[in-house]
């Protein structure tokens, strides 16, 4: 009894019960207090929902890689209710938005729409989009730069909008400087300079139906019919578009055919839009070998052509020297490309003929809207090519939306492809996602 009395006295010391209970909990012992069944079930349900949501997000990314089905950066599908954990009050946010992943690569459409709202960034993005639409580029630039230090720490949208503004304005030095900061902040490769012709450029870009061919799989002699079709249509079309983003392998014969077609298309003076040029160049580079003189020259020459189309003069000169050493010939000289755009690659390239939009759409665009109506009357799917579109005036965007609502009423599928992120933000603000799918280009 004496021994037990000693322990009894110690348990009566102030704070010992709390300390012992805390020690038991730390050691993994069950609490003597009966848990609240409802609270426990709610906690378990929330854990299950969060786990399921993470699995759904991962599966969505895997499906995108397998099937190459794009997720528009601005949601166009039915909105789901926001997932808010029980007890998330007082401005606390769910755990899932803390995932440090590129939103265009992982999150679903509605998550991309809702995420800026939760973070309080949507008003900033909308205001910047309006300033840019009203041709106040300097104001928009300063607002974007100011947003990098706060909003830009979690939301990449402001970075992408700033990159697009610099490309539209032709400010490569500023673009390169911000690209280094972007790569450091998000631990990714810096975006490459691929400027849209400036909104106030020397000439007005043509608009109209754009014959398009998308090449996939193996680039070999089987592409001849596709190239012949483009060459025939180039005589009467303001522009033609070639998409190489989904090519996985090249042969010397395919390179020779592609090179010949690109050379002829450039020579006819039409607008030439090449999507996936960077990806194709890397594929070709992996097949060539310096000093291997018995190999075909076609891959080397196509690589040089692509580097020239992308206006990558330094890479062109280095590759030209390697080509010179390999075949003991004089190196070709670099010529700045004219009437050429190298659009960013799309996740799901469309082989349908597109309607190429001009560099600027302003209030005085009735002829353009009529041309879109005429194109839509002949097309099952309305694909509006924004690869050359730099800016849309606010009032013109509202008028265009009215026209598109009439088209969408006929159950017609409408898509905007290769948009810059400033225009995409404006269209999302005005409600375009109710009638069309928006596909901004990738960085």
């Amino acid at each position: 009894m004496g021994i037990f009395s000693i322990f009894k006295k110690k348990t009566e010391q102030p704070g010992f019960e709390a300390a012992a209970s805390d020690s038991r909990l730390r050691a993994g012992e069950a609490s003597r207090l009966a848990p609240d069944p409802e609270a426990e079930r709610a906690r378990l349900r929330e854990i299950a929902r969060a786990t399921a949501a993470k699995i759904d997000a991962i599966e969505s990314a895997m499906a995108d890689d397998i099937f190459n089905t794009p997720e528009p950066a601005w949601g166009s599908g039915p909105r789901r209710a926001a997932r808010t954990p029980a007890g998330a009050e007082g401005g606390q946010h769910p755990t899932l938005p803390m995932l440090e992943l590129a939103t265009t690569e992982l999150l679903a459409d509605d998550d991309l729409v809702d995420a800026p709202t939760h973070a309080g960034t949507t008003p900033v993005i909308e205001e910047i989009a309006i300033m840019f639409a009203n041709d106040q580029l300097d104001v928009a630039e300063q607002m974007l730069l100011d947003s990098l230090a706060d909003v830009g720490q979690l939301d990449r949208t402001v970075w992408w909008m700033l990159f697009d503004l610099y490309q539209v304005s032709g400010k490569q030095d500023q673009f390169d400087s911000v690209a280094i900061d972007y790569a450091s902040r998000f631990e990714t490769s810096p975006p490459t300079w691929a400027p849209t012709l400036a909104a106030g450029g020397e000439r007005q870009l043509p608009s109209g139906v754009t014959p398009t061919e998308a090449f996939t799989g193996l680039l070999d002699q089987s592409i001849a019919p596709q190239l012949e079709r483009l060459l025939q249509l180039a005589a009467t079309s303001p522009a033609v578009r070639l998409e190489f983003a989904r090519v996985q392998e090249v042969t010397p014969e395919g390179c020779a055919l592609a090179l010949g077609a690109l050379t002829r298309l450039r020579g006819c003076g039409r607008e030439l839009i090449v999507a996936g040029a960077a990806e194709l160049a890397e594929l070709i580079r992996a097949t060539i070998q310096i000093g291997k003189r018995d190999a075909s020259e076609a891959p080397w020459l196509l690589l040089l052509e692509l580097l020239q189309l992308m206006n990558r003069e330094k890479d062109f000169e280095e590759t030209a020297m390697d080509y010179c050493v390999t075949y003991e010939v004089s190196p070709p000289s670099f010529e700045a490309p004219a009437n050429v755009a190298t659009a960013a690659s799309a996740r799901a390239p469309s082989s349908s003929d597109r309607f190429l939009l001009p560099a600027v759409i302003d209030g005085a665009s009735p002829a353009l809207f009529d041309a879109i109506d005429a194109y839509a009357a002949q097309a099952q799917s309305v694909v509006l090519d924004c690869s050359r579109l730099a800016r849309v005036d606010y009032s013109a965007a509202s008028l265009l939306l009215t026209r598109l609502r009439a088209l969408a009423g006929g159950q017609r599928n409408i898509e905007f492809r290769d948009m810059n992120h400033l225009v995409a933000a404006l269209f999302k603000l005005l409600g375009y996602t109710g009638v069309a799918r928006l596909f901004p280009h990738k960085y």
Side-chain angles (χ1 to χ4, degrees), residues 52-67:
K54 291 180 181 179
I55 292 173
D56 288 345
I58 294 170
E59 288 179 347
S60 175
M62 292 173 65
D64 182 76
D65 290 337
I66 295 171
F67 299 106

Side-chain angles (χ1 to χ4, degrees), residues 328-407:
E328 297 183 355
V329 295
S330 299
S333 58
F334 180 84
E335 297 179 6
N339 302 341
V340 174
T342 51
S345 61
R347 288 192 175 185
S350 170
S351 58
S352 302
D353 290 345
R354 304 179 174 201
F355 188 96
L356 179 66
L357 295 175
V360 177
I361 301 177
D362 55 27
S365 301
L368 173 65
F369 298 160
D370 291 343
I372 292 175
D373 287 343
Y375 158 70
Q378 304 296 324
Q380 267 191 332
S381 180
V382 178
V383 183
L384 301 175
D385 187 345
C386 304
S387 57
R388 287 302 190 79
L389 179 63
R391 186 176 63 84
V392 182
D393 182 78
Y394 190 94
S395 60
S398 299
L399 293 173
L400 178 58
L401 178 58
T402 302
R403 292 287 191 108
L404 293 179
R405 283 199 176 109
L407 294 176

Side-chain angles (χ1 to χ4, degrees), residues 172-399:
Q172 184 173 2
D173 291 341
Q174 293 90 328
F175 178 97
D176 292 340
S177 177
V178 174
I180 294 172
D181 295 337
Y182 175 82
S184 175
R185 170 67 185 88
F186 296 104
E187 297 182 355
T188 186
S189 300
T192 55
W193 174 256
T196 303
L197 291 185
E202 298 178 357
R203 59 190 180 87
Q204 178 65 37
L205 294 176
S207 60
V209 179
T210 309
T212 301
E213 287 292 349
F215 304 92
T216 62
L218 179 63
L219 195 74
D220 59 8
Q221 64 271 18
S222 65
I223 66 173
Q226 292 174 277
L227 295 175
E228 186 60 32
R229 172 182 174 270
L230 283 181
L231 291 170
Q232 291 176 358
L233 293 174
T236 57
S237 302
V240 294
R241 179 184 179 93
L242 301 90
E243 299 191 349
F244 295 107
R246 297 180 67 184
V247 172
Q248 298 177 343
E249 189 177 352
V250 298
T251 67
E253 295 79 10
C255 290
L257 288 171
L259 174 63
L262 288 173
T263 303
R264 289 175 61 184
L265 289 170
R266 288 185 64 191
C268 71
R270 303 297 183 186
E271 292 292 329
L272 178 59
I273 303 169
V274 183
E279 289 88 341
L280 181 58
E282 290 306 310
L283 274 179
I284 297 171
R285 193 181 292 279
T287 68
I288 60 178
Q289 184 176 341
I290 301 173
K292 192 175 181 180
R293 193 173 309 169
D294 57 345
S296 170
E297 296 184 34
W300 283 92
L301 295 174
L302 180 56
L303 175 58
L304 290 168
E305 177 72 7
L306 292 171
L307 293 174
Q308 191 160 246
L309 293 177
M310 292 185 287
N311 203 24
R312 288 164 52 175
E313 185 173 1
K314 181 179 179 181
D315 291 337
F316 177 93
E317 291 176 348
E318 292 176 354
T319 304
M321 289 304 300
D322 293 338
Y323 169 76
C324 171
V325 169
T326 300
Y327 294 102
E328 297 183 355
V329 295
S330 299
S333 58
F334 180 84
E335 297 179 6
N339 302 341
V340 174
T342 51
S345 61
R347 288 192 175 185
S350 170
S351 58
S352 302
D353 290 345
R354 304 179 174 201
F355 188 96
L356 179 66
L357 295 175
V360 177
I361 301 177
D362 55 27
S365 301
L368 173 65
F369 298 160
D370 291 343
I372 292 175
D373 287 343
Y375 158 70
Q378 304 296 324
Q380 267 191 332
S381 180
V382 178
V383 183
L384 301 175
D385 187 345
C386 304
S387 57
R388 287 302 190 79
L389 179 63
R391 186 176 63 84
V392 182
D393 182 78
Y394 190 94
S395 60
S398 299
L399 293 173

Side-chain angles (χ1 to χ4, degrees), residues 24-162:
R24 285 194 299 272
L25 291 175
R26 286 196 302 267
E29 296 177 20
S31 172
R32 294 181 181 180
L33 295 176
D36 183 352
E38 288 299 324
E40 181 66 8
R41 280 196 293 271
R43 185 181 70 84
L44 293 175
R45 281 197 301 270
E46 186 50 41
I47 292 173
R49 278 198 297 268
T51 303
K54 291 180 181 179
I55 292 173
D56 288 345
I58 294 170
E59 288 179 347
S60 175
M62 292 173 65
D64 182 76
D65 290 337
I66 295 171
F67 299 106
N68 206 31
T69 302
E71 294 280 2
W74 300 111
S76 56
R79 297 285 296 277
R80 294 194 301 269
R83 297 185 294 269
T84 305
E89 300 174 347
Q92 295 179 0
H93 299 292
T95 301
L96 288 178
M98 296 300 291
L99 292 171
E100 290 290 337
L101 294 172
T103 53
T104 56
E105 295 175 357
L106 179 61
L107 299 181
D109 288 355
D110 350 302
D111 295 320
L112 289 165
V113 174
D114 292 340
T117 304
H118 295 321
T121 61
T122 296
V124 175
I125 292 175
E126 291 175 350
E127 186 177 357
I128 293 169
I130 293 172
M131 291 294 177
F132 179 78
N134 291 333
D135 205 19
Q136 299 186 43
L137 272 61
D138 292 339
V139 176
E141 178 185 356
Q142 189 57 53
M143 292 178 68
L144 286 168
L145 288 170
D146 292 341
S147 299
L148 297 183
D150 41 47
V151 175
Q153 294 303 298
L154 294 176
D155 189 351
R156 302 191 192 195
T157 304
V158 291
W159 294 84
W160 298 333
M161 293 171 73
L162 183 58

